Amino acid sequence: VEPLSQEGKNLAHTLQKYYNDFLTSKAAEMTKDNGCKNFCITGGVGLNCTGNGYLANSGLVENIFIQPASSDSGTSLGAAILGGMQEGSFFQSNFEHAYWGSYYSDEQIEKALSESELQFEHTNDIAKIVAQLLNENKIVCNFQGRSEIGPRALGNRSILANPCLESNLDRVNKIKGREHWRPLAPSILEEDYFDVVDTKHHSPYMLMACQVTEQYKEKIPAVVHVDGSCRPQTVYKSTNEIYHKIILEFKKITGIPVVLNTSFNMYYEPIVNTPENAISSFVELGADYLSIGNFIASRK
């Protein structure tokens, strides 16, 4: 079946509906058996954002945790826990964020920039500069802090754009070489999250789909899918101060507590990890600016 034929679309829709129904029926059985309404989801289906959102808003769930690396890559987490248990050093973690990857100092970043053909300058307030650039409708590649685990870019290895202009959906997809119909995600300040999306649960790992509220559908068209839904990310100051400040500064300028966020990579490559990855991908992508550590860079 050709995926984008009407038959393919019908099949995909039917499979999703059956999965949603299966997921909620199993959840209902489990809550009936033990009375617990706290859910944890992992494994490959944990990346099914539509199903996760359907369960979260079914009325069966009080709290939900979706493991952000819910694919084969998540086996590394299990291996680490198992190794820790075998060594007698198992520790309990609240798992409040997904920023467990590589980190690079400003010295390492400056060295990589100096060896590139980019022009760059140091700044003491990178968040404010990025917010101003987004307001000017510039597309900014953002490389900050530790890289995220899992398939979702959560602000530290992300391409950012202004969500208020519908044309930015097509613009960013073209830059990344993606199909024009593929949606892009909104990153939303934690304090404004429930004003923007119609759901009862936060989504720190961008793994739940939900509807955008009526008051915001026209305000952020670049991140609203054709059915009025989105795949949001809750951004907490406590776990990502720089990214939270970028969105907060953007809100101060525009009144909108949201930025468009997609992964920082070409479609045929993994998400960037090192400063060298970031520089080479930025050049190939053709975005406007690179925010990397405390430096802002552009092509000469």
Side-chain angles (χ1 to χ4, degrees):
V1 175
E2 174 59 38
L4 295 182
S5 67
Q6 191 57 51
E7 186 181 6
K9 294 174 185 177
N10 291 344
L11 179 59
H13 179 83
T14 302
L15 287 169
Q16 184 67 57
K17 182 183 186 306
Y18 274 109
Y19 173 65
N20 293 351
D21 292 344
F22 174 81
L23 191 63
T24 50
S25 67
K26 285 295 177 184
E29 286 179 21
M30 294 168 74
T31 54
K32 184 179 179 181
D33 287 344
N34 59 31
C36 179
K37 292 189 174 183
N38 299 325
F39 283 81
C40 176
I41 299 177
T42 189
V45 295
L47 301 182
N48 189 312
C49 299
T50 301
N52 293 340
Y54 191 82
L55 174 63
N57 292 307
S58 66
L60 296 167
V61 175
E62 286 183 2
N63 298 293
I64 187 167
F65 172 79
I66 305 164
Q67 200 268 92
S70 290
S71 63
D72 289 351
S73 63
T75 55
S76 59
L77 297 175
I81 292 171
L82 179 60
M85 291 175 69
Q86 291 173 342
E87 294 296 319
S89 59
F90 175 70
F91 67 95
Q92 206 166 6
S93 170
N94 290 330
F95 211 107
E96 294 175 342
H97 60 81
Y99 307 109
W100 299 100
S102 302
Y103 171 81
Y104 298 89
S105 67
D106 268 2
E107 289 75 17
Q108 291 171 301
I109 291 170
E110 186 172 18
K111 181 177 184 295
L113 286 169
S114 298
E115 294 171 354
S116 76
E117 295 183 357
L118 299 181
Q119 59 183 10
F120 64 94
E121 60 182 43
H122 183 272
T123 174
N124 292 320
D125 198 343
I126 192 69
K128 194 167 187 176
I129 288 177
V130 171
Q132 290 169 342
L133 291 171
L134 295 176
N135 181 55
E136 295 168 8
N137 201 29
K138 304 298 183 184
I139 294 177
V140 181
C141 294
N142 201 46
F143 183 101
Q144 300 292 338
R146 290 192 175 276
S147 58
E148 308 88 334
I149 63 166
R152 303 283 181 251
L154 301 171
N156 283 3
R157 303 290 187 273
S158 291
I159 298 172
L160 310 179
N162 188 328
C164 305
L165 300 167
E166 188 173 6
S167 58
N168 278 342
L169 170 61
D170 189 48
R171 187 178 170 206
V172 173
N173 275 335
K174 281 184 177 177
I175 281 177
K176 289 195 62 176
R178 301 191 337 158
E179 298 89 344
H180 68 90
W181 46 265
R182 293 184 65 175
L184 298 168
S187 292
I188 309 168
L189 293 176
E190 59 173 309
E191 55 267 39
D192 296 288
Y193 181 80
F194 294 112
D195 292 331
V196 179
V197 289
D198 184 14
T199 182
K200 298 176 182 177
H201 300 275
H202 280 290
S203 178
Y205 307 123
M206 205 188 287
L207 288 173
M208 288 191 294
C210 59
Q211 289 289 305
V212 179
T213 59
E214 289 300 324
Q215 64 174 321
Y216 269 93
K217 281 181 180 175
E218 293 185 358
K219 293 180 180 180
I220 53 172
V223 292
V224 181
H225 200 32
V226 291
D227 62 355
S229 69
C230 71
R231 188 185 63 199
Q233 175 200 359
T234 311
V235 180
Y236 299 95
K237 183 178 181 180
S238 60
T239 58
N240 196 330
E241 189 171 357
I242 293 176
Y243 194 35
H244 184 277
K245 188 178 180 184
I246 288 172
I247 307 172
L248 182 62
E249 292 293 338
F250 184 73
K251 179 187 176 183
K252 288 177 183 178
I253 300 169
T254 65
I256 303 297
V258 181
V259 299
L260 181 157
N261 171 17
T262 190
S263 58
F264 184 1
N265 62 302
M266 292 297 290
Y267 73 93
Y268 54 83
E269 291 183 334
I271 297 174
V272 300
N273 185 42
T274 68
E276 290 78 12
N277 293 157
I279 291 165
S280 61
S281 290
F282 168 69
V283 171
E284 186 172 2
L285 286 161
D288 298 310
Y289 287 90
L290 171 62
S291 158
I292 180 167
N294 286 306
F295 300 90
I296 193 77
S298 61
R299 289 177 298 280
K300 294 179 180 178

